[in-house]
Amino acid sequence: MNVSALTPSELGSRLKEAGLFLQAGPFITHIQTSIRSVAEGIGLLYADYPIAEETGFADFHVCLTPPGNLRRWFRPQVLFSFDGRIPFKPLPLDQAFPMLEWGMNWCVSGHSHQYLILHAAVMEKQGGAVIMPAPPGAGKSTLCAALINREWRLLSDELALIDKADNALVPLCRPVSLKNESIHVIRKFEPGAVLSREVRDTMKGTVAHMKPPAGSVVQSHVTARPAWIVFPKYQPGAVTRLEPQPKARAFMRMVESAFNYSQLGPQGFQMMENLIDACDCYEFTYSNLDEAVAVFADLKLPAP
């Protein structure tokens, strides 16, 4: 059964009482909350996701609640708890749904060392996957949102999961996080895109999340072969430019994007080396999304 099978009232009741066992990629997250904006966000953006309540097992148990003090009434706040612990300071109640998204990312990046984990977007098309690592503000999520609205399959907007067994990319398909001007850019680029309401004055500015394509959610069990590593950089007015990147430099930049490279030790080094060897590496500068999509459409699969 998918989340869409529940009415808004049923979803709210389930989140408030027993909790929702949400399957996203290889992980099940048990979510409990009585906060209406979180239920609305889940109902809108996770409608196509399966509910995994058969066994009662979850990889992560998270809860969003108002703190039990005067802030319940005065400038209300929200707390994120993970397995009964509170890892973050409270945020304004209006930021409850973004906090859930950020918290779920934290759960995976900090506790899932069965994978090599990179801060990167991952998309796939015709058997080849592109990995896009980038620091905040580089235009990674904007470019990712544009590509998945132009026939690329979304594996992840934030976290690239690389399987230790075969170096395959494991999907973690979840809503795409858009910030500030990129929200309006994507609304204009793809008027049919489904976005959550905008939340202002967060630590990242104004944020909104875009619903992933249903086809990407359905294929969340299908791994992908890494083919390209592209370091994107949005630069206003820049000419669209795709330039080969030396593999040694790409290796070091990928290490900087990894969450658990050091924890994995020699295995992490070997996995990263295998990943770099398997991919063509580029630096990509852009300012026009239509031109960017055209460049990605022309990428050729590396020789096996």
Side-chain angles (χ1 to χ4, degrees), residues 171-201:
L172 181 58
C173 176
R174 293 199 8 240
V176 176
S177 176
L178 298 172
K179 296 175 280 294
N180 303 314
E181 187 59 30
S182 66
I183 299 169
H184 308 293
V185 169
I186 292 302
R187 285 191 194 279
K188 183 178 179 182
F189 180 79
E190 180 49 63
V194 176
L195 270 67
S196 66
R197 68 177 180 84
E198 296 179 18
V199 179
R200 304 182 186 282
D201 300 323

Side-chain angles (χ1 to χ4, degrees), residues 6-304:
L6 300 175
T7 66
S9 175
E10 290 171 337
L11 177 58
S13 295
R14 186 170 297 208
L15 285 164
K16 185 176 181 180
E17 297 166 5
L20 181 74
F21 289 82
L22 184 71
Q23 176 92 51
F27 304 110
I28 297 173
T29 304
H30 178 230
I31 305 168
Q32 286 185 296
T33 186
S34 60
I35 298 172
R36 181 178 300 178
S37 64
V38 177
E40 291 172 350
I42 292 173
L44 177 68
L45 302 178
Y46 286 95
D48 302 317
Y49 287 70
I51 299 172
E53 59 188 2
E54 293 83 3
T55 65
F57 170 81
D59 297 276
F60 312 115
H61 295 266
V62 305
C63 187
L64 289 106
T65 56
N69 55 30
L70 291 176
R71 299 307 291 267
R72 183 184 294 265
W73 297 282
F74 178 70
R75 294 182 179 176
Q77 294 179 320
V78 57
L79 286 169
F80 176 92
S81 66
F82 165 70
D83 285 352
R85 296 182 291 116
I86 299 176
F88 312 123
K89 292 181 179 179
L91 292 178
L93 182 61
D94 190 47
Q95 300 181 22
F97 183 75
M99 191 179 204
L100 171 65
E101 288 295 312
W102 299 331
M104 289 172 70
N105 289 340
W106 176 83
C107 289
V108 173
S109 62
H111 302 88
S112 305
H113 302 309
Q114 66 270 39
Y115 304 106
L116 173 62
I117 306 174
L118 309 172
H119 178 225
V122 186
M123 293 78 60
E124 180 267 344
K125 190 175 182 181
Q126 296 182 347
V130 58
I131 303 170
M132 291 200 308
K140 166 181 67 67
S141 293
T142 310
L143 183 55
C144 171
L147 290 169
I148 63 174
N149 278 295
R150 295 296 184 269
E151 300 180 353
W152 286 75
R153 173 167 72 103
L154 175 67
L155 275 77
S156 179
D157 166 48
E158 286 287 338
L159 301 173
L161 305 181
I162 302 164
D163 196 309
K164 288 181 179 178
D166 56 6
N167 265 30
L169 288 157
V170 177
L172 181 58
C173 176
R174 293 199 8 240
V176 176
S177 176
L178 298 172
K179 296 175 280 294
N180 303 314
E181 187 59 30
S182 66
I183 299 169
H184 308 293
V185 169
I186 292 302
R187 285 191 194 279
K188 183 178 179 182
F189 180 79
E190 180 49 63
V194 176
L195 270 67
S196 66
R197 68 177 180 84
E198 296 179 18
V199 179
R200 304 182 186 282
D201 300 323
T202 77
M203 58 185 174
K204 301 183 179 185
T206 299
V207 300
H209 287 81
M210 190 186 81
K211 183 181 180 181
S216 296
V217 179
V218 169
Q219 296 185 72
S220 286
H221 61 288
V222 180
T223 60
R225 170 194 167 196
W228 309 279
I229 296 169
V230 178
F231 299 95
K233 182 180 181 181
Y234 172 78
Q235 197 171 73
V239 174
T240 303
R241 190 169 63 246
L242 184 71
E243 299 175 298
Q245 181 88 168
K247 293 207 172 192
R249 177 164 169 71
F251 185 104
M252 297 309 298
R253 294 179 72 177
M254 291 288 278
V255 168
E256 293 172 359
S257 299
F259 285 98
N260 59 348
Y261 174 80
S262 298
Q263 285 95 326
L264 297 183
Q267 186 176 28
F269 177 86
Q270 189 61 58
M271 292 179 70
M272 192 69 83
E273 184 181 38
N274 293 342
L275 182 64
I276 296 291
D277 284 344
C279 294
D280 288 343
C281 304
Y282 299 98
E283 187 160 84
F284 181 60
T285 305
Y286 77 100
S287 62
N288 182 296
L289 282 179
D290 288 316
E291 292 181 8
V293 169
V295 168
F296 276 68
D298 286 340
L299 288 172
K300 306 299 181 191
L301 284 170

